Every structure is written in C-alpha cells, then in structure tokens.
Amino acid sequence: MTTTPPNDSRPWSVFLIFLRLGLTSFGGPIAHLGYFRAEFVTRRRWLTERSYADLVALCQFLPGPASSQVGIAVGLSRAGYSGALAAWAGFTLPSAIALILFALGISSYGDYVSQGMLHGLKVVAVAVVAQAVWGMARNLCTDGLRITIMAIATCLVLLVPSAWGQVGVIAIAGIAGRLLFKPAQIIEHDPLPITVSHRAGVLWLSLFFVLLIGLPVLAKLMPSQTMEIVDSFYRVGSLVFGGGHVVLPLLQAEVVPSGWVSNESFLAGYGAAQAVPGPLFTFAAFLGASMNTAPSGWIGGIVCLLAIFAPSFLLVVGAMPFWELLRRNTGTQAALAGINAAVVGLLLAALYHPVWTSAIFQPQDFGLALVALVALMFWKLPPWLVVVSSAAAGWVLSAAL
C-alpha cells in the first residue's frame, strides 16, 4: 500500500509557500534569510537550526544570490528537482514580473508606494534580522570560543565591507574551527533528504563549468545579440560573490557601455528594484525587458532572468551531495562550528550596516522596529502581517510628521 506524501512536500505546495515569501520578503538577502529561518526552522520545522546554518554557510561560499540559493536548496530537500524549481519560481516571479512591467512603460509604478511605506519596510527588516541573529546565536554560539569567533567576524566584516571580505572571514573561521575544535567523534548530524546522487552532482557541476567556458566561445563563433546577452548574464551570475547589491556595478559594466540599456534606464530600474520584495537579482529581468535591441520585452526579461540564475541552480544541485558527505567528517564538523559562528557574526554586522543604518534615523523608527520585533518574537504574528503593518505604520508616521 502506498502512502500519500504530505501536502507541503508536493511541488505545488512548495511553490505556494515560496510565492507568499516572494510577495512579502522585503529587506534584501540578509532579511530573506531571516524570513526563511522563521518559515522553515521555527514554523514548519522542515530543517533544524544546525541544518539551516549549514545551508547558509554553503551558499555563502558559492557565487550568486545566497538567499535564492538557500531557497533552491530547501525546495530540493523537500520535493526534489521540481521542488527546487518551484521554490525558485515562487520566490522570484513576483519581483521579476513587477520589474518587467515597470520596464514596459509603467513609469508611475513608484507613485503607488509612498516613501513612508518604503521606509516602514526598511524598519521591519531590522526586526526580522534581529530575530534571526538572536535565534541563531542562541543555538550556534553556545560557549565563549564560539561567541569570540562571532564577535571577531562581526568586527572584521564591518572593517572590510566587501563581498570578498565576507568570503575571507568565513574561510578564516573555518580554519580556526578546524584548529580549535577537536570533536572526539562525529558530532550529531541532521541529514537533509537530498535525492541527488554523487554522479548527478558531478554532472551538474561539470555543466556549470562547460557553460562558463563555452558560452563566450559560442558568442564568438555564433555572433548574435541573444548569445552575447546570455553569456554576459550567465558570467555575472557565476562570478559574483556576495550577491545582492554587489551584482549591480558588474551588470552596469555589461549593459550600459554596450548600449543595450541607457544609464538613465539602468538607474530607474535600480530604484524600482528597491521597492519590490524578493531577490535583487531579478533586476536582470528589468534589464532584459529594457534592451534597446532584441530580445527585449517579456522575452528579453525571461532570457536574462534565466541566464543570471542558471549558475545558482547548477552550483547548488551539484554541491549538495558532496556537502552532505563532507559535513559528516569530524574535521568538517569542526570547521563548520567555526563557520556557523562566523555566519552569526555576518548577520550581526549586517544588522548594524546596512539594515540599521539605512532604516533607524529617528526615535519613532526605533519604536516601530521594537514593536515589530516584539510582534515577531513574542506575539508570534506571521511575518507577512508584521511586514504589511509596518509599511502601513510607516505611511501613517510620514503623513503625520
């Protein structure tokens, strides 16, 4: 007799869950990780705190948008390849569609959202990240050594505010953990239900490198606008560490000098990207829809969106089988203990800058953030409701002052 899988293990259910996150997850990649933790660790218990931290650490090492990669990995662990696609589509499509529509001529798009509402969304991100820092620190920084690694990581990231600085801090923390932590046996492991075989992982990673090397060659041998665009966006998605805002200058260097998109349009799209939830990498959809030559419009937006996210799929699916094997090793577990503490340090640094510094300017901002934090941590309100309420409160406060 066969048993029916749980409803939330089906690709359609995974899509709907991530669609709600894609519609409400404001605040950038660090805030997204906070939303994911609240949804999949605290609320649904799909992952343990340790497994979630391991996923975050893996995706911090990989180039591309870390929050989207964590979402792909969660979908993969829940419903296989179709779950990974469903998670990505649900989380990505809301902002991608909004930005394509903006590119197609809705110049008044930003007028529908007041500056006060946008500021309220920034303030609620403070509460989301603070909740994530507190929860992860309580579970992953359990002794003086781990807390020390967390504090040092926070200071280093603030002193060296760059994507490479973050990667370097994680690498150093891994080495420190390998040297300082000496587990006598394999530390308790929380396995993920990954169905990708090692052979399949090798094939996915091989395809990643084949495309990275082969697309520039094809662009030379088969010159066309579409091939050049796919090559450019795939290369950016493959080589950008840190994700988020780090991708913007590289995209500008690709699309503006080539004449594909004017600098004015680029800056207008960047402004619109700040007003939508979901991953900032969906800015590629705006650029594709804004192209001065074919492909453009909906087709251009879809082509650029798929090209910039394709490396994330290949890297996450290819790396997951080996990550599952490596983290069972005592040496890897020791390194992960240091890395996990450093990840908390990265979140703490991000809580200060840019999350706090870009949102808390006046006493009422601090008050709104505090109310949102209490609503999330103690009233146990759903994150989407807290986000909507904070946006409304921001609008009311801006109108009253």
Side-chain angles (χ1 to χ4, degrees):
M1 183 177 69
T2 59
T3 57
T4 302
N7 289 334
D8 61 2
S9 294
R10 296 170 178 170
W12 178 246
S13 297
V14 172
F15 171 79
L16 291 178
I17 292 168
F18 274 91
L19 179 63
R20 179 169 55 82
L21 289 168
L23 289 167
T24 59
S25 295
F26 293 87
I30 302 299
H32 298 163
L33 295 178
Y35 288 112
F36 286 175
R37 178 189 170 276
E39 184 72 23
F40 302 118
V41 177
T42 304
R43 181 184 176 195
R44 297 185 181 275
R45 301 187 185 280
W46 286 4
L47 301 169
T48 64
E49 195 76 66
R50 186 184 294 109
S51 294
Y52 181 71
D54 286 352
L55 281 182
V56 173
L58 169 63
C59 295
Q60 290 284 356
F61 270 117
L62 298 176
S67 61
S68 294
Q69 289 170 326
V70 170
I72 292 169
V74 171
L76 179 69
S77 69
R78 197 66 184 173
Y81 291 129
S82 56
L85 288 170
W88 172 80
F91 188 58
T92 304
L93 288 181
S95 56
I97 292 172
L99 290 173
I100 289 175
L101 288 174
F102 179 75
L104 293 178
I106 306 181
S107 59
S108 59
Y109 174 76
D111 296 337
Y112 291 102
V113 182
S114 72
Q115 291 300 312
M117 292 180 67
L118 291 178
H119 188 66
L121 295 174
K122 291 181 180 180
V123 170
V124 76
V126 175
V128 172
V129 178
Q131 182 191 29
V133 170
W134 174 257
M136 294 184 74
R138 187 174 56 185
N139 288 281
L140 301 175
C141 300
T142 55
D143 55 41
L145 183 55
R146 287 174 172 82
I147 292 174
T148 300
I149 293 175
M150 177 194 70
I152 293 173
T154 301
C155 295
L156 289 176
V157 170
L158 291 174
L159 290 173
V160 187
S162 68
W164 286 110
Q166 294 180 5
V167 174
V169 166
I170 291 176
I172 293 171
I175 296 172
R178 183 67 179 86
L179 296 175
L180 297 175
F181 297 105
K182 303 293 183 181
Q185 56 185 4
I186 296 177
I187 301 174
E188 182 183 357
H189 176 58
D190 300 327
L192 292 169
I194 301 298
T195 58
V196 182
S197 66
H198 293 124
R199 181 179 180 182
V202 170
L203 291 176
W204 290 116
L205 290 176
S206 299
L207 180 58
F208 166 79
F209 287 107
V210 167
L211 290 174
L212 183 62
I213 298 171
L215 283 175
V217 176
L218 287 176
K220 294 293 183 182
L221 296 178
M222 303 169 57
S224 71
Q225 183 81 12
T226 301
M227 186 61 68
E228 291 178 7
I229 289 171
V230 171
D231 172 37
S232 294
F233 280 78
Y234 184 90
R235 185 169 62 252
V236 169
S238 300
L239 301 179
V240 172
F241 285 89
H245 295 277
V246 181
V247 77
L248 296 174
L250 286 103
L251 283 176
Q252 188 175 35
E254 292 284 344
V255 303
V256 174
S258 63
W260 295 341
V261 177
S262 68
N263 195 55
E264 291 73 18
S265 295
F266 186 95
L267 294 176
Y270 172 73
Q274 311 308 306
V276 297
L280 190 57
F281 265 50
T282 54
F283 181 45
F286 168 86
L287 295 175
S290 302
M291 293 288 177
N292 294 323
T293 57
S296 60
W298 283 100
I299 294 177
I302 293 170
V303 166
C304 292
L305 187 71
L306 294 177
I308 202 168
F309 275 103
S312 295
F313 271 99
L314 299 176
L315 287 170
V316 169
V317 177
M320 285 296 289
F322 302 102
W323 186 250
E324 188 74 8
L325 177 65
L326 283 173
R327 67 180 188 171
R328 291 192 180 99
N329 180 273
T330 54
T332 304
Q333 288 285 355
L336 278 176
I339 290 172
N340 288 339
V343 168
V344 179
L346 264 64
L347 287 171
L348 182 58
L351 174 60
Y352 171 71
H353 182 76
V355 177
W356 180 283
T357 56
S358 64
I360 308 300
F361 301 115
Q362 304 176 72
Q364 57 264 32
D365 297 333
F366 177 79
L368 179 57
L370 181 60
V371 171
L373 182 62
V374 171
L376 289 169
M377 293 188 65
F378 301 102
W379 299 344
K380 306 298 182 182
L381 295 180
W384 68 266
L385 180 59
V386 178
V387 168
V388 172
S389 300
S390 296
W395 176 74
V396 171
L397 289 172
S398 67
L401 296 177

